[in-house]
Amino acid sequence: MAGEFHRLIRVGNYVGAMKLARREENPIKRAVMITEVVERSKRREFLGDLIRTVEEIKDAYGRAIAESYAGRAFYAVGDEEEAELRFKTALELSNRVGTPWKSAEVLGVIAGNLVEAGLYSEGLKCYRRAIDLLQASRALYSETVSVITRLAEMVERSGDETPNETALKFYDLAAGLYRSINFNLQAREIEEKKNLCLQTIENGSRTIADLLNRGEVVKAIEVSRFLKPAERCLALLNISYWLFLHNEPRLARETFKMAVDDLLIGKFSVPDVEVEKIAYKLLRIGRLEEPLILAGMIRDDRKAAEILGEVAVGYARRGEAEKALSIASGIKNEEVRNRSVEEIMRLRT
């Protein structure tokens, strides 16, 4: 069911995803699924299902976890007051779980959900509270090592989700946890990740270019979050081009969408000349859909018209004359429009 659920989420079929979520018998898993639907859809009508699911859970351990997911969901729809109340309830319940390592486990989940809600500093504090509990406990090494390992993994993942320098504090915390149980290899790997983030903060898009030259595209995407918004958008567009060029279309499209979403939602602008360069690079390798989208983001009408003309003719060369004419007819610049239509009609005959 999990595979089908995530497929429905990816294609935007949130009603279908909710039907599957309601069929999940485990209320904690159901709360997680409903939270994901709410986060992606931003639809408040699904919150009733989430609240009823949370209220099904009577034990402190499960209820604390579910309440933190509810807090995350309420933040996703902009209800900060209710979200804060849910997170506060989760934290209070974590004190009633029982053993210190059980409380630490719950606090780790709450901290992760705080980070997912964008409350990075609060999440960091919650992780530190979990670590303090473990350090104060007198449990045997064998009883706590698995909890520390899971907690370290969660802290590192929260660092990966944090789009600012607070991520470095998460990495320091995760590396310290690994060292405390002599997992020195994992600690060194996190230190390397932290150093790469520091390089990106210091050197900007040059670090992204270096990573692409080495073929380390996943790392390039990960550390792009430390760039300034406009710089990050351009970096993601260039990474998308690199992925198309190296026959990774799925990840290329995902990365392109990330860049476009940033540009549409963010309160920043990207120079037309830079967007134009990327559009032509994509055109040269046969991409048409992406340059069509980028043309709509260029403020200079002449530059946008030239790209639209190239896209329209490109579709005509593929034999999609009707689509080509539809795009060409929408070009504002008369000279470019007429030239494009003429070329399309020539290719059509």
Side-chain angles (χ1 to χ4, degrees), residues 188 242 275 347:
R188 282 196 299 273
W242 188 96
V275 178
L347 290 165

Side-chain angles (χ1 to χ4, degrees), residues 56-72:
E56 280 182 36
I57 305 170
K58 304 305 179 184
D59 65 290
Y61 180 93
R63 183 65 176 262
I65 289 173
E67 288 283 4
S68 73
Y69 274 98
R72 177 172 153 184

Side-chain angles (χ1 to χ4, degrees), residues 63 69 78 150 156 176 181 191 216 230 241 254 270 288 312:
R63 183 65 176 262
Y69 274 98
R150 287 197 300 275
E156 181 184 2
I181 52 174
E191 290 291 350
E216 298 182 73
Y241 164 74
E254 289 177 4
V270 176
L288 298 177

Side-chain angles (χ1 to χ4, degrees), residues 79-219:
D79 191 341
E80 294 186 10
E81 186 177 348
E82 182 65 23
E84 288 171 7
L85 181 61
R86 295 283 173 174
F87 276 122
K88 182 181 178 183
T89 301
L91 289 168
E92 289 171 351
L93 286 166
S94 72
N95 296 322
R96 292 162 33 195
V97 168
T99 61
W101 57 93
K102 280 289 185 184
S103 293
E105 282 183 350
V106 171
L107 287 169
V109 176
I110 296 170
N113 282 325
L114 284 164
V115 170
E116 290 289 345
L119 302 170
Y120 307 113
S121 296
E122 289 83 349
L124 189 63
K125 290 176 187 174
C126 194
Y127 277 129
R128 285 175 174 155
R129 181 173 160 186
I131 293 166
D132 289 343
L133 265 179
L134 289 174
Q135 290 175 340
S137 72
R138 296 183 179 181
L140 296 172
Y141 173 84
S142 59
E143 293 176 322
T144 58
V145 66
S146 61
V147 178
I148 292 174
T149 304
R150 287 197 300 275
L151 193 59
E153 291 170 350
M154 293 168 70
V155 175
E156 181 184 2
R157 190 160 56 247
S158 288
D160 294 342
E161 295 291 328
T162 303
N164 55 50
E165 292 185 38
T166 305
L168 305 179
K169 295 179 180 179
F170 284 111
Y171 293 145
D172 282 337
L173 205 58
L177 281 167
Y178 278 127
R179 280 194 295 268
S180 74
I181 52 174
N182 296 315
F183 282 27
N184 295 318
L185 176 60
Q186 290 87 337
R188 282 196 299 273
E189 288 174 350
I190 293 175
E191 290 291 350
E192 289 172 5
K193 183 186 291 189
K194 176 189 169 184
N195 289 335
L196 183 57
C197 294
L198 284 168
Q199 287 176 33
T200 308
I201 292 167
E202 183 178 344
N203 299 322
S205 56
R206 282 180 295 169
T207 301
I208 306 297
D210 289 343
L211 289 168
L212 289 179
N213 287 336
R214 299 200 299 267
E216 298 182 73
V217 65
V218 175
K219 287 184 179 178

Side-chain angles (χ1 to χ4, degrees), residues 267-279:
K267 296 179 180 179
F268 63 90
S269 60
V270 176
D272 281 351
V273 64
E274 298 297 335
V275 178
E276 184 186 21
K277 284 179 187 175
I278 296 167

